[in-house]
């Protein structure tokens, strides 16, 4: 039986990845301006199990474990997320607000829903290994792209500055973060604007059709 395409060893940016999917996640992180380290540390979990997460994102205190369709188990990532989450009993004093995040990075979403978009890889799809859902956002102070949860107060995981009263959060379900293309968060904002214009045009056309019925 042939080897699954996501498990093909791939070299990118001078790093030899165990799979093409991992390399595509590295491309995506680079496009978002998120620094990464590949398999930097062997971790002994509270259960005694040893674990080497795929990516450590040192500027934003986040682990990313890439999961292909043939590697669905996530127990180690969940245990790491549980162990590294904020344990503060009052105001959070962790190095990163809310403690370290642990994310699961899945293959790209197969059905982009933006009108006219024909990206080769689709859109990034991720989930929290433990705790509340994680959303991608950008800090208005340091312009760093990073993941946060919806727990207040909303603070940058890099510089700890406030994200403002109404930060823009991107979920994977919106299919706005292009995967494996080296695209920045600006692309997501452009895609969002295009969708909004398309919806406004659709509503305007529907209104014209309703008016013509009279």
């Amino acid at each position: 039986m042939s080897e699954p395409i996501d498990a093909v060893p791939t070299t990118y940016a001078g790093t030899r990845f165990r799979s093409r999917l991992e390399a595509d996640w590295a491309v995506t992180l680079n496009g978002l301006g998120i620094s990464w380290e590949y398999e930097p540390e062997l971790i002994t979990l509270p259960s005694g199990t040893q674990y080497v997460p795929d990516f450590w994102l040192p500027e934003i205190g986040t682990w990313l474990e890439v999961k292909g369709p043939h590697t669905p188990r996530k127990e180690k990532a969940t245990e790491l997320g549980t162990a590294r989450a904020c344990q503060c009993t009052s105001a959070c004093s962790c190095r990163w607000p809310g403690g370290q995040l642990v994310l699961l990075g899945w293959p790209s979403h197969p059905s982009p829903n933006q009108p006219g978009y024909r990206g080769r890889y689709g859109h990034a799809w991720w989930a929290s290994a433990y705790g509340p859902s994680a959303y991608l956002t950008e800090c208005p102070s340091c312009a760093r792209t990073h993941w946060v949860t919806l727990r207040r107060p909303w603070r940058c995981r890099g510089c700890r500055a406030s994200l403002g009263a109404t930060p823009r959060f991107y979920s994977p379900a919106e299919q706005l973060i292009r995967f494996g293309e080296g695209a920045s968060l600006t692309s997501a904002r452009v895609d969002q604007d295009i969708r909004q214009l398309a919806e406004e045009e659709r509503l305007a056309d529907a209104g014209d059709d309703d008016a013509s019925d009279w």
Side-chain angles (χ1 to χ4, degrees):
M1 185 173 64
S2 62
E3 188 175 28
I5 191 170
D6 60 286
V8 175
T10 304
T11 299
Y12 166 71
T15 299
R16 183 69 169 173
F17 295 93
R18 298 178 188 273
S19 71
R20 187 173 302 174
L21 181 59
E22 291 176 344
D24 285 342
W25 265 104
V27 173
T28 302
L29 292 170
N30 277 351
L32 294 171
I34 299 174
S35 63
W36 52 267
E37 299 172 4
Y38 180 63
E39 295 189 342
E41 183 181 347
L42 174 64
I43 297 173
T44 301
L45 298 170
S47 64
T49 303
Q50 292 190 315
Y51 174 42
V52 181
D54 293 320
F55 291 94
W56 168 240
L57 315 180
E59 294 182 352
I60 59 176
T62 300
W63 298 95
L64 174 65
E65 176 68 17
V66 174
K67 290 292 184 184
H70 301 282
T71 55
R73 297 176 66 88
K74 61 178 184 177
E75 289 85 355
K76 293 179 182 178
T78 299
E79 186 176 355
L80 178 63
T82 304
R84 300 294 178 92
C86 176
Q87 306 296 327
C88 300
T89 57
S90 55
C92 177
S93 59
C94 297
R95 165 65 180 83
W96 293 279
Q100 295 180 13
L101 290 180
V102 180
L103 302 179
L104 301 170
W106 304 107
S108 62
H109 196 280
S111 303
N113 63 21
Q114 176 187 331
Y117 177 57
R118 295 292 182 270
R120 176 181 176 187
Y121 295 103
H123 293 88
W125 199 264
W126 67 84
S128 294
Y130 168 79
S133 298
Y135 296 81
L136 202 63
T137 191
E138 185 177 79
C139 175
S141 297
C142 68
R144 181 177 282 111
T145 300
H146 59 293
W147 281 274
V148 297
T149 69
L150 295 185
R151 287 179 174 170
R152 293 176 181 266
W154 294 323
R155 293 196 176 277
C156 174
R157 294 182 59 80
C159 70
R160 299 187 69 91
S162 171
L163 296 178
T166 55
R168 180 63 181 92
F169 295 120
Y170 294 90
S171 80
E174 292 174 283
Q175 299 179 35
L176 287 166
I177 309 301
R178 299 183 188 183
F179 183 71
E181 299 181 25
S184 69
L185 201 59
T186 300
S187 299
R189 288 191 285 266
V190 170
D191 290 352
Q192 186 180 40
D193 290 343
I194 291 173
R195 289 187 192 179
Q196 183 175 350
L197 288 172
E199 178 63 13
E200 290 174 353
E201 291 178 358
R202 186 192 68 80
L203 292 174
D205 291 343
D208 291 341
D209 291 341
D210 291 342
S212 64
D213 293 337
W214 291 90

